[in-house]
Amino acid sequence: MGRLSTSSCCAYETEESVYMRNMPHDHVLVAAADALPLIRGFPMSQQLSVRHFVVDVRKFKTGFLPNTRRSNFQLDRFWLRRGVSSLARRVFNQMTHKNVVSTNMLISSYVKFGHLAKARELFDHVVDRTTVTWTIMIGGYSQHYQPKQAFKLYAEMRRSGTDPDYVTFATLLSGCDDSVTGNEVVQVHAHIVKLGCDSTLVVCNSLIDSYCKCHCVDLARGIFKEMPARDSVTFNALITGYTKDVQNKEAIELFIEMQNLGLKPTDFTFAAVLCSCIGLDNMAVGQQVHGFVVKTNFVWNVFVGNALLDFYSKHDRIDDARKLFDEMPELDGVSYNVIITGYAWDGQYKESLHLFHQLQLTGFDRRQYPFPTMLSIAANTLSFEMGRQIHSQAIVTTAESETLVGNSLVDMYAKCGRFEEANAVFSHLPHRNSFPWTAMISAYVQKGLHEEGLNLFNDMLRANVSPDQATFACILRASATLASLSLGKQFHSFIFRSGFISNVFAGSALLDMYAKCGSIKDAVQTFQEMPDRNIVSWNALITAYAQDGDGKATLRSFKQLVQSGLQPDSVSFLGVLTACNHRGLVEEGLQYFTSMTQIYKIVPKREHHASVVDLLCRNGRFNEAEKLMAQMPFEPDEIMWSSILNSCRIHKNQELAKKVADWIFNMDTLRDAAPYVTMSNIYAAAGQWENVGKVKKAMRDRGVKKVPAYSWVEIKHKIHVFSANDKMHLKMEEILQKIEMLSHQMEKEGYKPDLSCSLHNVDEEIKVQSLKYHSERLAIAFALISTPEGSPILVMKNLRACTDCHAAIKVISKIVGREITVRDSSRFHHFREGFCSCGDYW
């Protein structure tokens, strides 16, 4: 429901209405009654109109003098209506004939033109304040978004002994927002009942609106049911309340009831109902509402048009939204904001930029430009220069001071890795809610600075800022990346105490954390305990099983997702294809890939094609992979070519490897030296050391570096990191002793080192020694000497495990009688009693 304006609640349009409004009701009645005998005594031709006679009698009854009336008229006509408040105040101070009406008119003028401080200063000097005086000042605060001050002044009014009337209540409640508590509205409600204003329609409508705004929808519904009469405003207020409280089904049902009663919808009605259709993700109902909009001729209304734009863009129907945008008879700044944001959500950043340039050529308020959306595009594309230009425009238009823009600036600079600029903006934010804190934490985590992110989270708590589900998702991601199960469990407890445990997004983040920490059992339990599940939580479960290498459980979960009535999305299919890849399920993977387009109408993205190409190549089906790549709507990237190159290494297909390597080495940019390393390994495995040297020289000439391999393990809440042949750890002597002891036992079990994994042209003995001290073996040895016998071990590695380490860890798990879990860059390996969960396929 729209904000009730002071001008509509306190209507002082004419001079006489001002007088009538200030006169006590009984005085007006007495004046009219006294006038009637006099009127009847005059001849008809000499009778004055009752209206004028009542005014004259009123002046007599209240002591108003013609001079006062004339002064008030001049003050209002020549100064107040023109907005010349400074001159009006001077005239007011010089008036010899003034009364409470004069004062009220000047206060009202100050309020109208936004001079609240001056209005309050004059108000505080008024001795005989009437209900109108109080109402005007309360309306000033309500109209200028200061509801707390309005409620505080209302409390003073009650203490002063002045009774409010229905206009006062409507004016006070019109300014309610989230800062007003339900308790405060309940107290005002009690006064309304006590003073007999609870049957007034405008007051009841304002009460419903206020209860909805302070999230007391049940109380609003109670008033609605008890009202003897309702109008469109009544229904709009409750429909909007339902929508904001995410009771979308109830909002639609109330809209239908409104139509059955024959009440005409307004632009507010359609906007709220379309918002509910977005919440319900109900395209069909939304299209019916669109048809009703056309039928009732509201399609010309820009407010309703913007709501329709928002509806279509949030249903991923950006083409329909654009068609509507081009056909709208009237556009405003909001129209551009919605369509620009819609294209940004759809990933069509170029179109967003094009429309933003168009917007800049219009005369719309530059302060209302979609700066947050443009900054998010800069953040997502890591375009620091673009972000800085948008920042400059925000400064020029003073939009930088807006909370949402400030938060988006922090997010943009942080994601672009410009932490100095991000901290500068962050430190100057007037109000730091959870969003900027979360943006900073998220950026640190995404850049791999997990400890910095966790430290900032602690600073957030010390600043008494409550984290939300997005914050918890960030810190859980940090825990997952660090594979710190103990830290993740601490956050689990924190989320429970914070009341977010039932939140589907927080629950999904918890599930993901447990899965990435190797505790699939806890991940599944988290999923089973979720009170509500959406596509995000199902995708988290499917991905968890896929990363764990459990193909059967992954495919079973996908079927259960479909049976639940939810529609799988691109993330669901990526999880299924990953599982098929890990288990070598080629035919099943191809069937699911085909079903994306043929059954579910989902366009496969680059990552889906990459997964299928890898699936085919790892099974030696290079020709089929080549055909699929030829049909792709985009060129193969480094990741895709690198996966083919790795398959060539597995299948010892050196001829194809050379062709693929040429493709990769001729690319303009490379992430790292991984392709060079793989090609070098292919040559080394074939004993072609001269070619190994050539590849390494090419790598040095290009300036790309090999990513160093390292592994880490958490012992007693502390992360211990190891690299190959590491000598730095404080317990290295004990670790080496453990490795030597294991080596003797492994030899007895029949283990023989795979020397092809030692890719150096050195003596065999040196190769054997180098294999023993790979980072994951050092981490396992340290865990064995630092934890109780029989307890499980979890080790993380940043790169793919070599075949020799894989074989060695199988034997170690049998010797020590423990479950050893290793998460490498590809997947989880669960080693038990000499076997690995991957079945030696990875």
Side-chain angles (χ1 to χ4, degrees):
M1 189 174 75
R3 182 180 293 274
L4 294 172
S5 68
T6 306
S7 59
S8 64
C9 292
C10 313
Y12 311 118
E13 286 85 1
T14 67
E15 179 190 2
E16 290 179 14
S17 68
V18 172
Y19 287 140
M20 291 294 290
R21 184 68 184 78
N22 281 272
M23 173 173 281
H25 304 308
D26 57 337
H27 287 197
V28 177
L29 293 174
V30 169
D34 290 348
L36 289 175
L38 296 173
I39 292 172
R40 294 191 188 99
F42 287 116
M44 183 64 68
S45 60
Q46 297 180 10
Q47 287 181 8
L48 298 174
S49 71
V50 174
R51 178 169 172 270
H52 282 92
F53 195 85
V54 170
V55 170
D56 287 340
V57 172
R58 184 182 62 246
K59 284 190 284 186
F60 174 77
K61 283 274 189 181
T62 57
F64 284 6
L65 298 174
N67 288 338
T68 304
R69 184 171 181 270
R70 191 178 302 109
S71 297
N72 288 343
F73 178 81
Q74 292 173 347
L75 177 67
D76 180 48
R77 187 67 174 270
F78 296 110
W79 304 112
L80 296 180
R81 293 189 187 184
R82 298 180 183 181
V84 192
S85 57
S86 57
L87 291 175
R89 181 60 183 269
R90 200 176 304 162
V91 170
F92 175 81
N93 292 336
Q94 294 173 357
M95 284 171 58
T96 55
H97 305 284
K98 55 188 173 186
N99 57 10
V100 70
V101 177
S102 321
T103 308
N104 288 350
M105 284 196 302
L106 187 54
I107 294 173
S108 181
S109 177
Y110 279 141
V111 165
K112 180 180 178 182
F113 293 101
H115 305 306
L116 284 188
K118 292 181 180 178
R120 185 57 190 261
E121 181 263 330
L122 181 58
F123 174 86
D124 289 338
H125 284 86
V126 177
V127 178
D128 298 321
R129 300 169 187 157
T130 65
T131 300
V132 177
T133 315
W134 288 96
T135 302
I136 293 171
M137 197 64 235
I138 289 170
Y141 287 126
S142 294
Q143 190 178 1
H144 290 87
Y145 310 103
Q146 297 183 38
K148 283 290 186 184
Q149 288 296 325
F151 273 77
K152 184 178 178 182
L153 191 62
Y154 171 76
E156 291 181 27
M157 177 184 184
R158 296 292 293 155
R159 286 193 294 270
S160 73
T162 306
D163 282 336
D165 60 12
Y166 78 93
V167 180
T168 312
F169 289 125
T171 303
L172 172 66
L173 295 171
S174 70
C176 276
D177 61 17
D178 290 342
S179 65
V180 177
T181 65
N183 220 18
E184 291 172 303
V185 179
V186 167
Q187 291 178 22
V188 174
H189 189 177
H191 297 160
I192 289 170
V193 173
K194 183 178 179 180
L195 295 173
C197 295
D198 54 325
S199 60
T200 307
L201 182 61
V202 67
V203 175
C204 290
N205 288 345
S206 297
L207 267 174
I208 291 174
D209 185 50
S210 300
Y211 276 131
C212 289
K213 285 177 178 175
C214 59
H215 310 291
C216 299
V217 179
D218 289 340
L219 293 175
R221 187 190 297 113
I223 295 172
F224 179 88
K225 289 180 177 179
E226 294 174 1
M227 288 175 66
R230 305 168 189 147
D231 60 7
S232 295
V233 178
T234 318
F235 278 86
N236 288 347
L238 191 55
I239 290 172
T240 304
Y242 279 141
T243 302
K244 289 181 178 178
D245 202 50
V246 202
Q247 297 186 42
N248 298 304
K249 184 181 177 182
E250 290 80 357
I252 300 295
E253 289 173 350
L254 193 61
F255 173 67
I256 295 171
E257 181 185 340
M258 180 182 182
Q259 302 317 303
N260 292 336
L261 291 173
L263 291 171
K264 292 184 178 180
T266 67
D267 49 359
F268 287 107
T269 318
F270 287 122
V273 171
L274 286 167
C275 188
S276 290
C277 292
I278 294 171
L280 287 172
D281 196 21
N282 195 322
M283 189 71 194
V285 175
Q287 288 177 319
Q288 289 178 25
V289 174
H290 188 174
F292 195 19
V293 167
V294 174
K295 183 180 179 181
T296 53
N297 203 28
F298 267 95
V299 72
W300 58 265
N301 185 294
V302 68
F303 184 68
V304 177
N306 292 340
L308 282 167
L309 281 178
D310 191 46
F311 167 75
Y312 282 115
S313 64
K314 286 181 178 174
H315 275 90
D316 297 326
R317 301 282 287 267
I318 191 63
D319 292 337
D320 290 332
R322 181 56 185 266
K323 183 181 179 183
L324 176 65
F325 177 84
D326 291 336
E327 293 175 352
M328 284 172 64
E330 180 186 356
L331 297 171
D332 61 9
V334 176
S335 313
Y336 275 93
N337 284 7
V338 173
I339 195 70
I340 288 170
T341 303
Y343 274 118
W345 281 339
D346 199 53
Q348 299 188 45
Y349 298 143
K350 286 186 179 179
E351 195 59 34
S352 288
L353 289 169
H354 174 69
L355 284 164
F356 183 69
H357 292 317
Q358 282 188 13
L359 173 60
Q360 291 174 305
L361 300 176
T362 67
F364 299 133
D365 184 5
R366 294 174 64 195
R367 186 181 170 85
Q368 302 302 320
Y369 282 179
F371 291 121
T373 297
M374 303 312 295
L375 288 167
S376 74
I377 293 174
N380 292 332
T381 58
L382 303 181
S383 178
F384 169 66
E385 284 303 320
M386 174 188 164
R388 193 163 61 172
Q389 290 177 25
I390 299 296
H391 189 179
S392 299
Q393 291 192 39
I395 292 172
V396 170
T397 59
T398 69
E400 183 192 31
S401 60
E402 293 184 7
T403 301
L404 190 56
V405 176
N407 292 345
S408 300
L409 281 167
V410 172
D411 183 56
M412 182 275 295
Y413 281 125
K415 284 182 178 174
C416 289
R418 309 293 293 223
F419 290 107
E420 185 177 343
E421 289 89 340
N423 278 310
V425 177
F426 180 79
S427 62
H428 286 92
L429 289 177
H431 305 290
R432 276 181 255 174
N433 57 17
S434 63
F435 185 93
W437 285 97
T438 302
M440 291 291 291
I441 294 168
S442 176
Y444 277 125
V445 172
Q446 287 178 357
K447 297 294 181 182
L449 303 170
H450 303 107
E451 290 189 14
E452 289 84 346
L454 294 172
N455 289 336
L456 193 61
F457 176 72
N458 289 329
D459 292 341
M460 177 182 181
L461 298 180
R462 282 192 286 269
N464 292 320
V465 178
S466 298
D468 57 19
Q469 65 259 31
T471 320
F472 287 124
C474 291
I475 59 172
L476 287 169
R477 195 183 312 133
S479 304
T481 306
L482 292 169
S484 178
L485 187 59
S486 62
L487 186 62
K489 286 185 174 180
Q490 289 180 41
F491 288 135
H492 189 166
S493 176
F494 193 176
I495 292 169
F496 182 83
R497 295 196 306 271
S498 301
F500 280 99
I501 197 64
S502 60
N503 181 276
V504 67
F505 294 103
S508 300
L510 266 175
L511 191 163
D512 181 64
M513 181 275 296
Y514 279 123
K516 287 179 178 174
C517 287
S519 183
I520 192 69
K521 181 181 177 181
D522 287 323
V524 174
Q525 183 178 343
T526 300
F527 178 82
Q528 291 172 343
E529 292 176 351
M530 286 184 181
D532 297 304
R533 299 167 190 159
N534 63 5
I535 189 62
V536 176
S537 44
W538 277 103
N539 285 346
L541 181 68
I542 290 169
T543 305
Y545 278 130
Q547 290 176 340
D548 202 55
D550 193 338
K552 289 183 179 179
T554 304
L555 301 185
R556 183 179 66 246
S557 298
F558 181 85
K559 290 177 182 177
Q560 290 172 345
L561 160 64
V562 175
Q563 290 168 359
S564 73
L566 291 171
Q567 183 85 349
D569 61 12
S570 60
V571 179
S572 317
F573 279 101
L574 186 59
V576 168
L577 292 174
T578 301
C580 293
N581 202 343
H582 286 330
R583 302 303 299 182
L585 305 174
V586 181
E587 299 307 323
E588 291 88 340
L590 292 174
Q591 288 174 12
Y592 278 106
F593 183 71
T594 303
S595 72
M596 286 183 69
T597 51
Q598 293 187 358
I599 298 176
Y600 297 99
K601 312 303 179 186
I602 298 173
V603 179
K605 297 180 181 179
R606 185 183 293 275
E607 52 266 31
H608 299 98
H609 285 90
S611 185
V612 177
V613 167
D614 189 41
L615 174 64
L616 291 168
C617 289
R618 290 192 59 209
N619 281 270
R621 296 164 69 164
F622 293 104
N623 291 335
E624 292 175 64
E626 188 177 356
K627 288 180 183 177
L628 177 62
M629 292 168 67
Q631 296 169 358
M632 293 190 312
F634 33 71
E635 291 295 320
D637 59 6
E638 179 192 349
I639 295 173
M640 200 175 296
W641 284 121
S642 295
S643 72
I644 298 172
L645 187 61
N646 185 60
S647 294
C648 291
R649 178 189 63 79
I650 294 170
H651 291 280
K652 298 184 174 23
N653 190 338
Q654 192 175 122
E655 185 181 347
L656 179 60
K658 289 179 182 178
K659 294 179 182 178
V660 172
D662 286 339
W663 275 99
I664 299 174
F665 297 162
N666 288 321
M667 285 184 167
D668 293 334
T669 57
L670 290 177
R671 295 177 304 158
D672 52 46
Y676 287 94
V677 173
T678 303
M679 197 63 216
S680 174
N681 293 348
I682 291 172
Y683 284 132
Q688 299 177 17
W689 299 108
E690 184 179 345
N691 287 332
V692 171
K694 289 179 181 178
V695 172
K696 288 185 176 180
K697 183 180 183 301
M699 183 174 74
R700 288 193 299 271
D701 292 344
R702 180 147 187 178
V704 290
K705 294 182 179 180
K706 178 182 177 182
V707 176
Y710 58 90
S711 300
W712 66 97
V713 62
E714 181 185 14
I715 304 294
K716 296 179 180 179
H717 311 304
K718 185 178 180 182
I719 303 293
H720 298 263
V721 183
F722 298 89
S723 58
N725 297 302
D726 199 339
K727 305 295 183 189
M728 300 299 293
H729 198 276
L730 294 175
K731 290 192 175 184
M732 186 52 66
E733 187 175 342
E734 296 173 58
I735 293 170
L736 295 177
Q737 288 175 0
K738 187 67 175 178
I739 287 177
E740 289 302 321
M741 184 183 72
L742 287 171
S743 296
H744 293 303
Q745 293 175 295
M746 289 162 65
E747 191 174 342
K748 292 178 182 178
E749 292 289 336
Y751 161 76
K752 291 183 179 180
D754 183 356
L755 299 183
S756 67
C757 294
S758 180
L759 304 169
H760 301 282
N761 190 14
V762 294
D763 292 339
E764 188 173 300
E765 184 60 33
I766 297 175
K767 288 183 177 182
V768 172
Q769 290 298 316
S770 68
L771 290 174
K772 283 199 298 189
Y773 305 125
H774 277 192
S775 63
E776 56 265 59
R777 295 205 211 178
L778 293 172
I780 290 171
F782 174 66
L784 287 171
I785 65 174
S786 305
T787 56
E789 289 188 14
S791 61
I793 294 172
L794 173 64
V795 172
M796 301 290 163
K797 185 172 183 178
N798 68 323
L799 301 179
R800 197 184 192 97
C802 72
T803 54
D804 182 67
C805 284
H806 190 270
I809 299 170
K810 284 198 296 183
V811 179
I812 292 171
S813 70
K814 182 180 179 181
I815 293 169
V816 300
R818 297 210 210 181
E819 179 180 345
I820 301 174
T821 300
V822 177
R823 188 187 83 186
D824 66 9
S825 61
S826 174
R827 56 169 294 165
F828 276 96
H829 299 267
H830 299 283
F831 299 91
R832 301 182 189 93
E833 299 177 356
F835 296 94
C836 180
S837 59
C838 73
D840 297 338
Y841 182 91
W842 85 101

